[in-house]
Amino acid sequence: MWRNINSKNIKIPIVNRLKSRLLTAVKQKSSMTNQNLSTTSASPIQLPHEVDVVVIGGGSAGCHTLYHLAKRGVKAILLERAKLTAGTTWHTAGLVWRLRPNDVDIQLLANSRDMLMQLEQETGLDPGWIQNGGIFIAHSNTRLDEYKRLATVGNALGIENYVLTPQETQKVFPLLDPEAFIGALYSPGDGVVDPAMLCTALTRAASKYGAKAYENTPVDDLLITTTNKGKKIVGVSTPHGNVKCETVINATGVWGRDLIEKHGSFLPLIPMKHAYIVSETIPGVRGLPNLRDHDYSTYFRIQGDAICLGGYEPNPILLQSVPKDFHFGLYDLDWSVFDTHLNGAIKLCPPFGNYGVKSTVCGPESFTPDHKPLMGPDNAIIGLFHNCGFNSAGMMFGGGCGEQIALWVINGKPDLPMFGFDLRRFTEEQNRATQWISEKSHESYAKNYSMVFKYDQPLAGRDFQKDPLHDEMLANNAFMEEKQGWERPGFFLADKALVLPYDWYGSYGNKRHKDSAYERVLEGDLRYNTFSEHHNLIGEEALACRNNAVVFNMSYFCKLFLEGPEAEKAADWIFSGNTKRDIKKTVYTCALNNSGGVEADVTISRLSSGTGAVHDPKFEGQGYYIVAGGASAYYTYSTIRDELRQQNFKASVRDVTADVGVISIQGPKSRDILQQIVDCELTDANIPPNSTRLTKCRDVNNSRCEYGVRLLRVSFVGELGYELHVPKEYCASVYRSLMTVGASNNLRNAGYRALYALSSEKGYHLWSFDLRPDDTPLEAGLGFTCRKKGLYKGKSAIDQQRKDGLTKRIVYLTLDEQIPIWGLEGVYRNNEPVGFLRRAEYAYHLGKPFAQTYLQRADNKIIDTDYIQQGNYEIDILGKRYKAQCYLRSPFDPEGKRVLGIYS
């Protein structure tokens, strides 16, 4: 369904009439098109000698950023190479839609819209905001289910919306044919904004707070010095002189890479041509809502008495770069690319086909590998921040993201959990991989209007990173998933389903794969109102772990060594738990921000200096072995590295993820099986829970070989279990030995789908889902990770929260009905909204759908045990509420006996 992006190719006679008119119409491009702009002004430009922050780029992102900095008292200037809105902002459609399948996106978009609504009152200037509403059109029941999901999270977050029948939709937009679709989602608070009016209002408002925007002032280079912490911003150079500063914000859009690559920093960004057409006057259009038809890959923006029509096609034109002087330039529209949007638009809105085209707009836009902006601190240059790569959504996200980047600079962190926007969601290797960036950005563009499913997987950019057990996983018929560039096993099949080379969805002369077993398997996950086709298969893996034993390949997990003369002091500051434990003790703990929010959750083991092997490092001072989730590995590494720099600790952190594999054996029989290949006693006395030691594994297939490994007794699923941390060259041999000795006990492989279901059922956390930088350990039920003695980052916030009580608190919900939940479903207590599902899985041992949510009261009062226990709870699933049972902690093994090996 969604794979065939161009499947809605409806042939109707009126298309030919429209195309004829398109070819003969006079294209009235903007009067600003391709005009030459002088880089000098009538009077000499006098730049300040020194400021706090320089914002580069005068488009939506830059102007919003300047405004939010200035409003908070920051001495900032904006430098624009040409005129405000030059580049991509001036030709944007300017649509603002708030309902998206992500709560952070919704909050950012709501913040953008709220700012637009109050800006005129604040500045006396009209920002060009028109609240004419927005409609999403559905042509299938699955698409309508997606919109019902958006409606539930919208209701939970206070976004007014309505699911409409075709007839009801026609009353809102009379020009639509109600026979052409099956339903719609209507958000009356959405609208459109004029970019020129907005940027004018923002910069003038910023000037009232002491900031200033300078046009015709290109930044020739970043001024950088090298310190013992690395490269650092000290200013910028321009034709009008240098400006000293310690912070620069790159808001240059499609030119985002140009200034930084010479300094060894790279962004995963690629420019593409993006287009829309403007119709002649169409009677009856004025005042109607904007419209998105995702199935037909089409949007309507109402512009006075005309319709702007655009969308996302399967074969966008990729650009290597955009000329520096392409300030207000446009490209000729390539109808062979744009034609894909016309047929569906005319079927949906027949009057549209009766009118010609007044003008076409085809300009450059910046796109990224996951269709999300690139924000936050640079990976290589201290003091450089980014706020670019907005994927043609800069007007929508500009206000919300401009506020967050301003807070990031001022406070060292944003207010919202911005990991999905943070540049550090990509590794440095990904940022440099041009082919990977091109493939991923193309697929994200082409699938921008495709349905969003929880377990969808990309076809582009695969096999970028392979762990040491990759071939073993494929030999055992693993269905592979991709996370942060790594391939990992999702579950295991009876037959092979290999990822094939990217075929660009048949575009650019490539042929679509005629038969892809991988895509056939993937189709079984693409649904909303029924369980995955692989639900029972994953359940078999999960129950094998609960009842017997399984092996998880966790090799892509983040593995770091913290070492140096002040490593102990650094660990004491960075982590909330007590890391001054005995050698070989493993501690679960968190790294917090100044507000007490969780930036990372890790296990950390105190080590003694060893032989120098990768699993047994040699070091001076103290050493720690840190393990964290793989999906946020680079973010975790960066968080620790940056804190070491900021606090001037004489310590370093190094990433050994690619050099060490992790073989995890979990389940009641794990000890008996593992004991057959290790040379140490796996008794509680010798290796108690939450500990580590060095050992050797014998090779049962080669009696002359044994391999040094690090053994940890830890569990991510709530069972008796162990992890073998193995140098990469020995991983395959150790894995095969383990599977050989476990065969008599029916040891089997299990993938990440089972692992996540098991960890959720136990009540363990998954960072960036039910544990984020806006959640404190106390709110998340992790108070035990926060020591009461000694200083650590975020401790004052934790101490204050202990004193004041919690206004937000995690709880666990189960459903008696056998109905799938995916996350984002609204949660109601006594018929009042109190949150949404942060994480949703199926608890196979309990035999029920299972979820985590944070409860918050509308009056923001304290949430105590009585409040939780005295409520009646419901979960809104596709517009229908289902009764839920609420627990203070997971009902699975609440006493934690199983992880101790107690199964009686």
Side-chain angles (χ1 to χ4, degrees):
M1 178 177 58
W2 62 276
R3 289 285 163 203
N4 188 3
I5 295 174
N6 204 21
S7 62
K8 301 291 191 299
N9 188 20
I10 300 141
K11 299 296 183 181
I12 50 180
I14 201 166
V15 174
N16 294 327
R17 299 207 304 270
L18 176 59
K19 290 176 71 174
S20 175
R21 300 184 78 155
L22 296 176
L23 294 172
T24 58
V26 177
K27 299 175 184 177
Q28 300 174 347
K29 296 181 180 177
S30 167
S31 60
M32 294 183 290
T33 300
N34 291 320
Q35 66 180 351
N36 294 319
L37 292 173
S38 173
T39 57
T40 60
S41 57
S43 57
I45 293 176
Q46 298 292 327
L47 297 176
H49 177 67
E50 185 174 359
V51 296
D52 297 328
V53 180
V54 171
V55 180
I56 308 176
S60 169
C63 292
H64 276 109
T65 301
L66 182 71
Y67 165 77
H68 282 291
L69 287 169
K71 190 174 182 179
R72 290 161 174 82
V74 177
K75 185 180 180 182
I77 61 171
L78 182 151
L79 305 180
E80 164 53 45
R81 180 163 51 200
K83 298 290 185 182
L84 294 182
T85 76
T88 63
T89 295
W90 76 272
H91 61 70
T92 182
L95 294 162
V96 178
W97 314 85
R98 291 171 297 162
L99 292 174
R100 295 170 74 97
N102 181 288
D103 67 291
V104 177
D105 286 20
I106 291 174
Q107 292 177 77
L108 288 169
L109 294 167
N111 290 346
S112 288
R113 183 256 199 182
D114 292 346
M115 188 210 69
L116 288 168
M117 296 187 71
Q118 60 84 30
L119 193 58
E120 184 171 5
Q121 180 179 357
E122 178 184 340
T123 65
L125 297 169
D126 181 2
W129 167 247
I130 300 174
Q131 184 175 310
N132 57 329
I135 300 175
F136 290 169
I137 298 293
H139 293 274
S140 70
N141 288 323
T142 307
R143 179 69 81 177
L144 194 57
D145 283 343
E146 180 183 42
Y147 293 162
K148 290 176 181 177
R149 279 178 46 75
L150 293 182
T152 65
V153 69
N155 291 333
L157 294 174
I159 308 297
E160 181 187 8
N161 68 87
Y162 306 92
V163 177
L164 305 180
T165 66
Q167 290 71 30
E168 291 169 333
T169 308
Q170 190 187 38
K171 291 180 180 178
V172 181
F173 199 120
L175 301 183
L176 300 183
D177 178 2
E179 301 297 323
F181 60 103
I182 68 167
L185 176 63
Y186 176 42
S187 177
D190 294 345
V192 66
V193 61
D194 180 272
M197 296 173 70
L198 174 60
C199 288
T200 297
L202 288 169
T203 51
R204 290 191 181 179
S207 68
K208 292 182 179 180
Y209 295 114
K212 187 171 182 180
Y214 293 85
E215 296 181 319
N216 301 315
T217 307
V219 173
D220 294 329
D221 202 359
L222 304 176
L223 300 179
I224 293 174
T225 189
T226 300
T227 70
N228 60 352
K229 298 179 183 179
K231 297 178 180 179
K232 183 180 183 298
I233 289 284
V234 293
V236 298
S237 66
T238 82
H240 310 294
N242 296 345
V243 180
K244 290 183 179 180
C245 66
E246 292 189 349
T247 303
V248 168
I249 300 177
N250 173 19
T252 58
V254 294
W255 296 280
R257 304 170 301 182
D258 295 357
L259 276 175
I260 67 173
E261 289 190 352
K262 69 174 77 172
H263 298 291
S265 182
F266 300 85
L267 292 178
L269 179 153
I270 186 170
M272 301 185 197
K273 293 182 181 181
H274 192 55
Y276 61 86
I277 60 175
V278 183
S279 76
E280 296 174 338
T281 296
I282 301 177
V285 160
R286 182 176 291 273
L288 294 182
N290 303 309
L291 183 148
R292 261 187 173 177
D293 189 328
H294 293 96
D295 293 318
Y296 285 172
S297 190
T298 296
Y299 70 76
F300 284 180
R301 173 195 187 268
I302 304 305
Q303 182 170 306
D305 292 313
I307 291 176
C308 298
L309 166 70
Y312 291 82
E313 53 280 336
N315 57 335
I317 298 173
L318 282 62
L319 302 168
Q320 291 295 319
S321 61
V322 178
K324 289 184 178 181
D325 60 354
F326 204 76
H327 306 312
F328 291 97
L330 289 176
Y331 303 104
D332 289 332
L333 186 68
D334 187 330
W335 289 104
S336 66
V337 173
F338 194 83
D339 266 358
T340 187
H341 307 301
L342 298 176
N343 295 308
I346 297 167
K347 183 178 182 184
L348 179 66
C349 180
F352 181 75
N354 297 326
Y355 297 88
V357 172
K358 181 169 60 177
S359 62
T360 67
V361 177
C362 180
E365 290 279 4
S366 56
F367 293 92
T368 64
D370 59 359
H371 218 75
K372 286 289 187 72
L374 304 174
M375 295 182 62
D378 186 79
N379 291 325
I381 304 170
I382 299 169
L384 176 62
F385 287 76
H386 299 285
N387 189 25
C388 57
F390 277 87
N391 301 275
S392 193
M395 297 304 292
M396 280 196 289
F397 280 109
C401 288
E403 180 177 38
Q404 292 303 308
I405 199 68
L407 294 171
W408 221 322
V409 169
I410 296 167
N411 301 327
K413 71 175 191 66
D415 273 2
L416 293 175
M418 297 290 287
F419 176 67
F421 291 64
D422 195 312
L423 174 62
R424 293 169 293 179
R425 68 190 186 272
F426 300 115
T427 66
E428 292 186 62
E429 292 78 12
Q430 288 172 311
N431 292 345
R432 294 171 182 264
T434 54
Q435 180 67 17
W436 182 86
I437 294 168
S438 295
E439 286 190 11
K440 291 281 289 181
S441 299
H442 167 265
E443 184 180 39
S444 294
Y445 181 103
K447 284 179 58 181
N448 185 44
Y449 279 0
S450 296
M451 285 176 258
V452 177
F453 297 96
K454 180 177 179 179
Y455 296 116
D456 194 9
Q457 285 294 308
L459 302 181
R462 298 300 295 267
D463 291 339
F464 184 77
Q465 285 269 69
K466 300 177 184 179
D467 67 50
L469 291 176
H470 183 77
D471 291 341
E472 297 293 332
M473 297 297 98
L474 296 185
N476 284 276
N477 298 337
F479 180 80
M480 303 302 287
E481 302 175 342
E482 181 271 336
K483 283 292 182 180
Q484 204 171 60
W486 288 90
E487 296 290 318
R488 69 180 195 185
F491 47 89
F492 290 81
L493 299 162
D495 300 304
K496 293 188 184 302
L498 301 178
V499 177
L500 298 178
Y502 189 48
D503 63 10
W504 300 85
Y505 290 90
S507 297
Y508 315 121
N510 295 281
K511 290 186 178 180
R512 195 76 172 91
H513 293 308
K514 292 182 179 180
D515 183 41
S516 171
Y518 188 88
E519 291 184 61
R520 289 200 307 272
V521 173
L522 190 57
E523 289 285 346
D525 274 330
L526 308 184
R527 54 190 67 183
Y528 298 114
N529 61 3
T530 60
F531 289 108
S532 164
E533 186 178 298
H534 316 300
H535 178 76
N536 293 335
L537 174 62
I538 294 163
E540 291 174 5
E541 294 180 6
L543 292 175
C545 180
R546 293 280 186 241
N547 301 324
N548 190 56
V550 299
V551 168
F552 295 107
N553 174 18
M554 299 171 63
S555 296
Y556 99 111
F557 262 44
C558 174
K559 297 172 286 290
L560 309 171
F561 280 117
L562 173 64
E563 55 198 331
E566 293 186 336
E568 182 177 305
K569 184 178 178 181
D572 207 36
W573 169 255
I574 294 172
F575 299 108
S576 60
N578 179 14
T579 58
K580 293 180 180 179
R581 309 294 287 272
D582 295 338
I583 296 294
K584 301 180 181 179
K585 179 65 177 175
T586 299
V587 177
Y588 172 71
T589 185
C590 299
L592 310 182
N593 54 43
N594 288 329
S595 299
V598 179
E599 295 289 341
D601 68 324
V602 307
T603 61
I604 179 169
S605 304
R606 187 181 177 101
L607 306 181
S608 56
S609 183
T611 63
V614 67
H615 66 292
D616 184 26
K618 187 176 183 179
F619 48 82
E620 295 182 5
Q622 185 57 62
Y624 296 89
Y625 184 44
I626 301 169
V627 182
S632 55
Y634 188 73
Y635 186 91
T636 301
Y637 164 78
S638 300
T639 297
I640 296 172
R641 178 202 62 191
D642 293 348
E643 198 62 30
L644 295 176
R645 290 174 174 174
Q646 291 172 18
Q647 301 299 325
N648 291 311
F649 288 123
K650 295 177 182 178
S652 63
V653 61
R654 56 189 176 95
D655 188 344
V656 295
T657 298
D659 300 318
V660 180
V662 179
I663 303 168
S664 176
I665 179 170
Q666 302 285 326
K669 294 184 180 179
S670 60
R671 176 183 284 160
D672 295 338
I673 296 171
L674 182 60
Q675 186 65 78
Q676 299 177 60
I677 66 168
V678 296
D679 71 350
C680 66
E681 291 294 325
L682 298 180
T683 60
D684 289 343
N686 194 42
I687 180 161
N690 300 314
S691 65
T692 181
R693 65 165 296 160
L694 298 172
T695 188
K696 292 182 179 180
C697 289
R698 68 184 182 90
D699 189 337
V700 300
N701 300 304
N702 185 343
S703 59
R704 293 174 298 178
C705 294
E706 60 180 11
Y707 312 106
V709 303
R710 176 167 296 281
L711 176 66
L712 275 72
R713 184 174 170 185
V714 293
S715 177
F716 195 61
V717 296
E719 299 292 336
L720 172 67
Y722 306 85
E723 292 177 3
L724 298 172
H725 292 238
V726 188
K728 62 182 180 181
E729 59 267 29
Y730 307 138
C731 273
S733 296
V734 172
Y735 168 79
R736 287 194 291 265
S737 293
L738 186 60
M739 298 306 292
T740 297
V741 300
S744 61
N745 282 308
N746 298 314
L747 180 65
R748 64 179 291 171
N749 290 295
Y752 276 80
R753 292 280 288 278
L755 183 118
Y756 283 160
L758 291 163
S759 72
S760 179
E761 181 177 48
K762 174 57 181 168
Y764 291 162
H765 292 289
L766 181 61
W767 192 85
S768 85
F769 288 87
D770 59 324
L771 188 63
R772 308 189 305 200
D774 60 334
D775 306 316
T776 72
L778 302 186
E779 295 165 344
L782 297 175
F784 66 90
T785 67
C786 297
R787 66 186 190 273
K788 295 186 178 181
K789 294 183 179 180
L791 291 176
Y792 57 85
K793 186 172 184 178
K795 184 175 187 294
S796 60
I798 297 299
D799 290 345
Q800 189 66 45
Q801 198 171 53
R802 279 195 169 114
K803 178 182 177 181
D804 296 341
L806 301 178
T807 58
K808 183 179 78 172
R809 187 168 173 179
I810 197 169
V811 295
Y812 303 88
L813 301 173
T814 63
L815 288 170
D816 291 330
E817 289 85 352
Q818 295 297 311
I819 184 169
I821 48 177
W822 310 103
L824 292 182
E825 290 85 355
V827 177
Y828 293 78
R829 177 190 180 274
N830 298 344
N831 209 36
E832 296 291 333
V834 288
F836 58 91
L837 300 188
R838 283 280 200 88
R839 187 177 176 195
E841 298 284 351
Y842 190 86
Y844 287 97
H845 184 85
L846 298 175
K848 297 179 178 181
F850 188 92
Q852 285 101 317
T853 188
Y854 285 84
L855 300 182
Q856 287 185 279
R857 299 173 57 160
D859 58 13
N860 207 36
K861 290 185 178 180
I862 298 298
I863 293 181
D864 56 20
T865 300
D866 288 342
Y867 175 85
I868 294 172
Q869 293 179 336
Q870 293 172 7
N872 294 311
Y873 295 88
E874 295 175 303
I875 300 176
D876 184 354
I877 305 173
L878 299 179
K880 181 180 178 180
R881 294 187 192 176
Y882 294 82
K883 185 178 179 180
Q885 301 299 321
C886 182
Y887 301 88
L888 293 169
R889 59 188 304 176
S890 169
F892 172 79
D893 188 27
E895 296 180 2
K897 292 182 176 180
R898 298 171 73 100
V899 76
L900 302 177
I902 302 172
Y903 287 93
S904 58

